[in-house]
Protein backbone atom coordinates (compact mmCIF):
# COMPACT_ATOMS: atom_id res chain seq x y z
CA UNK A 1 0.00 0.00 0.00
CA UNK A 2 1.34 3.44 -0.93
CA UNK A 3 1.26 6.41 1.39
CA UNK A 4 -0.49 9.65 0.47
CA UNK A 5 1.77 12.68 0.46
CA UNK A 6 -0.08 15.90 1.20
CA UNK A 7 1.41 19.08 -0.30
CA UNK A 8 2.62 21.52 2.35
CA UNK A 9 0.20 24.26 1.21
CA UNK A 10 -2.89 22.21 2.10
CA UNK A 11 -4.30 22.37 5.62
CA UNK A 12 -5.13 18.83 6.69
CA UNK A 13 -7.06 19.60 9.87
CA UNK A 14 -9.72 22.09 10.92
CA UNK A 15 -8.92 25.13 13.01
CA UNK A 16 -10.25 24.45 16.48
CA UNK A 17 -11.02 26.84 19.31
CA UNK A 18 -7.75 26.06 21.09
CA UNK A 19 -5.79 26.85 17.92
CA UNK A 20 -6.85 30.50 18.02
CA UNK A 21 -5.28 32.85 20.53
CA UNK A 22 -7.81 34.52 22.83
CA UNK A 23 -6.37 37.87 21.75
CA UNK A 24 -6.57 37.11 18.01
CA UNK A 25 -9.49 39.54 17.53
CA UNK A 26 -10.98 37.73 14.51
CA UNK A 27 -13.52 40.01 12.83
CA UNK A 28 -17.07 38.67 12.72
CA UNK A 29 -17.18 39.59 9.03
CA UNK A 30 -14.73 36.72 8.40
CA UNK A 31 -17.13 34.16 9.84
CA UNK A 32 -20.21 32.51 8.35
CA UNK A 33 -22.88 30.18 9.58
CA UNK A 34 -24.57 27.69 7.31
CA UNK A 35 -28.31 27.58 7.94
CA UNK A 36 -30.63 24.80 6.78
CA UNK A 37 -34.06 26.40 6.37
CA UNK A 38 -36.78 23.83 5.87
CA UNK A 39 -40.54 23.52 5.81
CA UNK A 40 -43.16 20.82 5.62
CA UNK A 41 -45.77 23.57 5.09
CA UNK A 42 -47.40 22.76 8.46
CA UNK A 43 -48.34 19.33 7.10
CA UNK A 44 -47.46 15.92 8.49
CA UNK A 45 -45.65 13.34 6.41
CA UNK A 46 -48.95 11.56 5.83
CA UNK A 47 -50.86 14.69 4.71
CA UNK A 48 -51.84 15.55 1.16
CA UNK A 49 -50.13 18.65 -0.27
CA UNK A 50 -52.23 21.80 -0.56
CA UNK A 51 -51.31 25.15 -2.08
CA UNK A 52 -49.60 27.24 0.57
CA UNK A 53 -46.84 29.72 1.40
CA UNK A 54 -44.17 29.29 4.09
CA UNK A 55 -41.81 31.99 5.33
CA UNK A 56 -38.65 30.17 6.43
CA UNK A 57 -36.39 33.07 7.46
CA UNK A 58 -35.92 36.80 7.79
CA UNK A 59 -32.18 37.26 7.25
CA UNK A 60 -30.29 38.81 10.15
CA UNK A 61 -27.29 39.57 7.96
CA UNK A 62 -26.13 39.37 4.38
CA UNK A 63 -25.34 36.00 2.85
CA UNK A 64 -25.72 33.63 -0.06
CA UNK A 65 -28.38 31.09 -0.98
CA UNK A 66 -26.53 27.86 -1.80
CA UNK A 67 -29.04 25.10 -2.65
CA UNK A 68 -32.79 24.49 -2.90
CA UNK A 69 -34.22 20.97 -2.67
CA UNK A 70 -37.80 19.64 -2.56
CA UNK A 71 -39.52 16.29 -2.19
CA UNK A 72 -42.73 14.40 -1.62
CA UNK A 73 -42.82 11.43 0.77
CA UNK A 74 -45.17 9.75 -1.72
CA UNK A 75 -45.59 11.14 -5.23
CA UNK A 76 -49.04 9.57 -5.56
CA UNK A 77 -50.86 8.45 -8.70
CA UNK A 78 -51.90 11.74 -10.33
CA UNK A 79 -49.64 14.44 -9.00
CA UNK A 80 -48.39 17.78 -10.29
CA UNK A 81 -46.94 20.17 -7.69
CA UNK A 82 -44.55 23.12 -8.01
CA UNK A 83 -42.14 24.52 -5.43
CA UNK A 84 -40.81 28.07 -5.75
CA UNK A 85 -38.10 29.74 -3.67
CA UNK A 86 -38.71 33.45 -3.16
CA UNK A 87 -36.88 36.41 -1.66
CA UNK A 88 -39.07 39.37 -0.74
CA UNK A 89 -41.91 37.81 -2.76
CA UNK A 90 -39.96 37.34 -6.03
CA UNK A 91 -38.76 34.00 -7.37
CA UNK A 92 -34.99 33.45 -7.34
CA UNK A 93 -35.11 30.25 -9.42
CA UNK A 94 -34.63 29.77 -13.17
CA UNK A 95 -37.88 27.76 -13.03
CA UNK A 96 -40.09 26.28 -10.33
CA UNK A 97 -39.28 22.74 -9.21
CA UNK A 98 -42.02 20.49 -10.59
CA UNK A 99 -42.71 17.09 -9.02
CA UNK A 100 -45.17 14.69 -10.63
CA UNK A 101 -46.31 11.15 -9.88
CA UNK A 102 -43.61 9.86 -12.26
CA UNK A 103 -40.88 11.01 -9.83
CA UNK A 104 -39.38 8.84 -7.09
CA UNK A 105 -40.86 8.91 -3.56
CA UNK A 106 -38.65 10.62 -0.95
CA UNK A 107 -36.21 11.80 -3.62
CA UNK A 108 -34.78 15.31 -3.41
CA UNK A 109 -35.22 17.45 -6.54
CA UNK A 110 -33.22 20.65 -6.82
CA UNK A 111 -33.88 24.03 -8.29
CA UNK A 112 -31.33 26.33 -9.89
CA UNK A 113 -30.87 29.57 -7.97
CA UNK A 114 -30.36 32.57 -10.26
CA UNK A 115 -30.14 35.32 -7.68
CA UNK A 116 -28.27 34.09 -4.61
CA UNK A 117 -27.30 37.30 -2.77
CA UNK A 118 -29.23 38.01 0.43
CA UNK A 119 -29.25 41.24 2.44
CA UNK A 120 -30.14 41.75 6.09
CA UNK A 121 -33.91 41.95 6.42
CA UNK A 122 -34.69 39.92 3.28
CA UNK A 123 -37.62 37.53 3.68
CA UNK A 124 -36.91 34.02 2.37
CA UNK A 125 -40.02 31.98 1.62
CA UNK A 126 -41.19 28.91 -0.27
CA UNK A 127 -44.44 28.55 -2.19
CA UNK A 128 -46.13 25.25 -2.90
CA UNK A 129 -48.59 25.27 -5.82
CA UNK A 130 -50.76 22.20 -6.40
CA UNK A 131 -52.46 21.33 -9.69
CA UNK A 132 -53.29 17.71 -8.74
CA UNK A 133 -52.24 15.66 -5.72
CA UNK A 134 -54.10 12.33 -5.84
CA UNK A 135 -52.29 9.99 -3.47
CA UNK A 136 -49.43 12.44 -2.89
CA UNK A 137 -48.16 12.83 0.67
CA UNK A 138 -45.64 14.76 2.73
CA UNK A 139 -44.33 17.83 0.91
CA UNK A 140 -40.95 19.09 2.09
CA UNK A 141 -38.54 21.82 0.94
CA UNK A 142 -35.15 23.02 2.16
CA UNK A 143 -32.84 25.89 1.29
CA UNK A 144 -29.22 26.13 2.43
CA UNK A 145 -28.19 29.70 3.30
CA UNK A 146 -24.66 30.83 4.22
CA UNK A 147 -25.07 33.91 6.41
CA UNK A 148 -22.31 36.20 7.62
CA UNK A 149 -21.89 36.18 11.36
CA UNK A 150 -23.51 38.85 13.49
CA UNK A 151 -20.98 41.59 14.15
Amino acid sequence: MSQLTVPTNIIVSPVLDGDVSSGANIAASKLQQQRFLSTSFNLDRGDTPVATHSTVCIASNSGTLKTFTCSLADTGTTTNVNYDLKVNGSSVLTAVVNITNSETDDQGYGGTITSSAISAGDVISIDLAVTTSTGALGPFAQVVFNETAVS
Side-chain angles (χ1 to χ4, degrees):
M1 175 186 333
S2 63
Q3 185 175 7
L4 174 67
T5 303
V6 178
T8 57
N9 64 336
I10 294 179
I11 298 171
V12 294
S13 64
V15 176
L16 303 175
D17 187 53
D19 298 327
V20 179
S21 166
S22 61
N25 199 21
I26 297 173
S29 62
K30 294 182 180 178
L31 304 175
Q32 287 187 348
Q33 60 180 344
Q34 188 167 62
R35 300 178 67 186
F36 293 83
L37 312 170
S38 61
T39 182
S40 59
F41 304 95
N42 291 320
L43 298 169
D44 289 329
R45 187 171 165 79
D47 289 344
T48 301
V50 294
T52 190
H53 171 88
S54 180
T55 298
V56 293
C57 177
I58 299 174
S60 300
N61 291 293
S62 62
T64 306
L65 298 173
K66 302 304 283 183
T67 62
F68 179 60
T69 309
C70 319
S71 69
L72 285 171
D74 187 332
T75 58
T77 56
T78 309
T79 304
N80 186 353
V81 299
N82 292 322
Y83 296 83
D84 196 2
L85 175 63
K86 296 185 173 185
V87 174
N88 299 325
S90 297
S91 181
V92 294
L93 299 176
T94 56
V96 296
V97 178
N98 178 251
I99 298 180
T100 67
N101 51 281
S102 63
E103 314 301 341
T104 304
D105 294 351
D106 275 327
Q107 175 70 43
Y109 294 93
T112 302
I113 299 170
T114 58
S115 181
S116 63
I118 297 295
S119 298
D122 282 353
V123 177
I124 303 169
S125 61
I126 302 170
D127 283 356
L128 175 62
V130 178
T131 303
T132 57
S133 59
T134 306
L137 301 172
F140 181 81
Q142 177 177 275
V143 60
V144 177
F145 170 41
N146 284 358
E147 185 177 36
T148 56
V150 177
S151 54

